[in-house]
Amino acid sequence: GAKLSDAPDEVMLPNTIKATEKTTGGESFLTKIKLAFLHFGDTFANFNQRQKIACIAMALFLVLGTGSLLYALMGNQPEPAPQIVVEPEPEPEPEPPKPTTEPSKLTGLEIKIIQNQLPVMGVMIENSPDARPQSGLREAGVIHEAIAEGGITRFLALYLDEMPSKIGPVRSARPYYLRWNLPYQAPYAHVGGSALALAEIPRLGIRDLDQFHNPGVFERVSYRYAPHNMYSNVKSLLKTAQSKGWKTSTFTSTPRKEDKPVTEPKASAINLNISYGQYNLVYNYSKKTNSYNRVMGGQKHTDEVTGKQLSPKVVIALVTDYGIDNNGVNSIYRTAGKGTVYIFQDGTVSKGTWRKKNDKAMIEYLNKKDEPIKLNAGQVWVTAMASEQQVSYE
């Protein structure tokens, strides 16, 4: 029951802690805490029953009060604002490059879009022996072939994909060529024409580029004699056509397909006996190019500028009514209605029906189910035949 201050220096304090350490200002903070707890313990031991209960109650009150205060203080803390994570916007995907080409409305081959917006150009080209070899037939997209007079054939060549710098010899118009040209809305280059053709040009609404009214885009070459020496070029004709407001051609294109050559060709040699010796035709199928090498009058039909043999992708024999006019000179062909057609492509042949509803309508090629026969992309050569007996192949 002795007080801490009355204890001798060598007396051992509870918990074996010696009281030799002095409680001066220089004592460590830990020592002071220890001594305080020892002092409280001695004091508490001297309390009576009531004092001890009161002391314990006071201690509990302080502990609970302090805890409640801390809880209240912590509970009243504002909740932290949610963090807003701003994700970076994804980089926009680059736009795919805009196409610069599209299938030609004349041939189905890929050409520049701006080129496809130009008008198709129709040019009458001679085929007498004195006119051979011609210039510009190789670059034409579609060629119509028929007899002009006296068994001599002539061509209507239609251009869009390519613009040869030399076309000719250019010759005169005929009524049936007008009707094959009309559906394409093609300016029509020629040097005069039969009386009936010249009368029908304004009546049909043909975009007329007659040499007699547009001499600046035609010229005569010196190495051939007239009338087999008149030439022109597509760019000059096109410039003249556009100056007249003929800036494009709107028409329904012939359906096209991809090449599908047969393993074993069924039509390797085509014979079209359109007239007589110098004008009759043979086409020899080339499996390598999937095209038809043209032979005329027993000779390779070649291009004057390049010397290359003409080789269309598709050969069409269009069978229609043929006759001679009342003068006994000029040919007459039925161009509207329908008839038999032979279409040679991919080394084989399709026999079907051609149909042209009226002068302005495009020629359609139909199978037995009255469905369009699709053509390979590339040059198409159409020859008007008077009968099926003039067409053979092997």
Side-chain angles (χ1 to χ4, degrees):
K3 295 181 180 179
L4 182 63
S5 58
D6 298 333
D9 291 339
E10 295 300 324
V11 175
M12 296 299 295
L13 296 176
N15 298 323
T16 68
I17 299 177
K18 294 182 179 180
T20 55
E21 297 175 342
K22 295 181 180 180
T23 57
T24 63
E27 294 171 343
S28 69
F29 177 75
L30 181 59
T31 302
K32 290 180 180 181
I33 294 297
K34 291 176 180 179
L35 290 175
F37 271 101
L38 289 173
H39 179 70
F40 175 77
D42 288 342
T43 303
F44 184 78
N46 292 324
F47 286 166
N48 57 33
Q49 185 81 13
R50 180 179 294 178
Q51 288 175 326
K52 288 180 179 180
I53 293 172
C55 184
I56 291 171
M58 181 62 70
L60 289 173
F61 175 78
L62 290 174
V63 171
L64 293 174
T66 302
S68 299
L69 179 61
L70 291 174
Y71 179 80
L73 291 174
M74 294 180 65
N76 290 332
Q77 291 294 323
E79 294 184 3
Q83 293 185 350
I84 301 176
V85 179
V86 180
E87 296 183 359
E89 293 185 4
E91 292 290 333
E93 294 185 4
E95 293 185 3
K98 294 182 179 179
T100 58
T101 65
E102 63 185 9
S104 165
K105 56 190 177 184
L106 182 63
T107 67
L109 297 172
E110 286 289 318
I111 62 173
K112 293 181 179 179
I113 293 175
I114 191 171
Q115 181 84 7
N116 216 16
Q117 296 170 350
L118 297 175
V120 174
M121 188 63 59
V123 184
M124 288 302 306
I125 298 180
E126 185 184 2
N127 191 34
S128 66
D130 293 323
R132 303 174 189 174
Q134 298 93 342
S135 299
L137 289 176
R138 185 168 175 267
E139 293 85 357
V142 177
I143 299 173
H144 284 272
E145 179 178 23
I147 298 170
E149 64 266 329
I152 300 173
T153 57
R154 191 166 295 181
F155 310 121
L156 165 64
L158 296 159
Y159 298 89
L160 179 64
D161 299 24
E162 299 185 61
M163 296 188 176
S165 58
K166 187 177 183 182
I167 303 175
V170 183
R171 286 300 296 270
S172 57
R174 294 292 184 272
Y176 37 95
Y177 290 112
L178 301 181
R179 288 162 173 81
W180 289 328
N181 182 85
L182 187 59
Y184 294 96
Q185 291 188 343
Y188 181 67
H190 61 105
V191 181
S194 66
L196 181 57
L198 294 177
E200 288 193 329
I201 285 175
R203 185 181 71 79
L204 291 173
I206 298 293
R207 295 175 167 182
D208 189 24
L209 286 178
D210 190 345
Q211 183 267 338
F212 293 112
H213 302 294
N214 303 275
V217 292
F218 296 86
E219 63 176 354
R220 292 193 181 275
V221 298
S222 59
Y223 61 88
R224 285 181 175 171
Y225 59 90
H228 317 292
N229 62 347
M230 185 71 77
Y231 285 79
S232 187
N233 66 84
V234 172
K235 287 186 177 180
S236 295
L237 292 170
L238 180 62
K239 186 176 180 180
T240 301
Q242 290 178 320
S243 71
K244 298 176 183 291
W246 305 327
K247 299 185 182 298
T248 190
S249 295
T250 302
F251 58 92
T252 301
S253 299
T254 300
R256 300 283 180 163
K257 68 175 188 65
E258 295 182 358
D259 287 20
K260 291 184 178 179
V262 296
T263 305
E264 296 294 332
K266 299 177 182 178
S268 295
I270 307 165
N271 298 283
L272 303 181
N273 296 320
I274 184 174
S275 180
Y276 58 89
Q278 296 185 79
Y279 304 97
N280 287 339
L281 308 167
V282 174
Y283 286 96
N284 294 311
Y285 175 65
S286 169
K287 194 171 183 179
K288 181 179 180 180
T289 61
N290 196 32
S291 59
Y292 295 82
N293 297 323
R294 181 177 163 95
V295 176
M296 183 171 58
Q299 303 293 322
K300 290 182 180 180
H301 193 179
T302 60
D303 174 70
E304 180 185 9
V305 176
T306 66
K308 293 183 177 181
Q309 187 174 9
L310 304 181
S311 186
K313 266 294 188 181
V314 184
V315 174
I316 296 178
L318 186 150
V319 181
T320 188
D321 300 330
Y322 168 74
I324 305 295
D325 66 8
N326 294 332
N327 295 325
V329 177
N330 296 321
S331 298
I332 299 174
Y333 282 95
R334 179 174 60 85
T335 56
K338 61 183 180 180
T340 301
V341 68
Y342 293 85
I343 297 178
F344 299 91
Q345 59 182 350
D346 295 325
T348 188
V349 59
S350 299
K351 184 178 180 180
T353 301
W354 68 266
R355 181 173 66 191
K356 193 174 189 301
K357 296 178 180 179
N358 52 57
D359 288 340
K360 293 184 178 181
M362 189 70 69
I363 299 176
E364 301 173 272
Y365 304 110
L366 308 171
N367 60 22
K368 293 179 180 179
K369 296 181 180 180
D370 216 30
E371 299 169 335
I373 298 174
K374 294 183 179 181
L375 308 182
N376 287 345
Q379 187 183 78
V380 177
W381 204 300
V382 185
T383 301
M385 307 297 294
S387 70
E388 292 188 52
Q389 286 67 41
Q390 293 177 324
V391 181
S392 63
Y393 56 89
E394 56 187 53

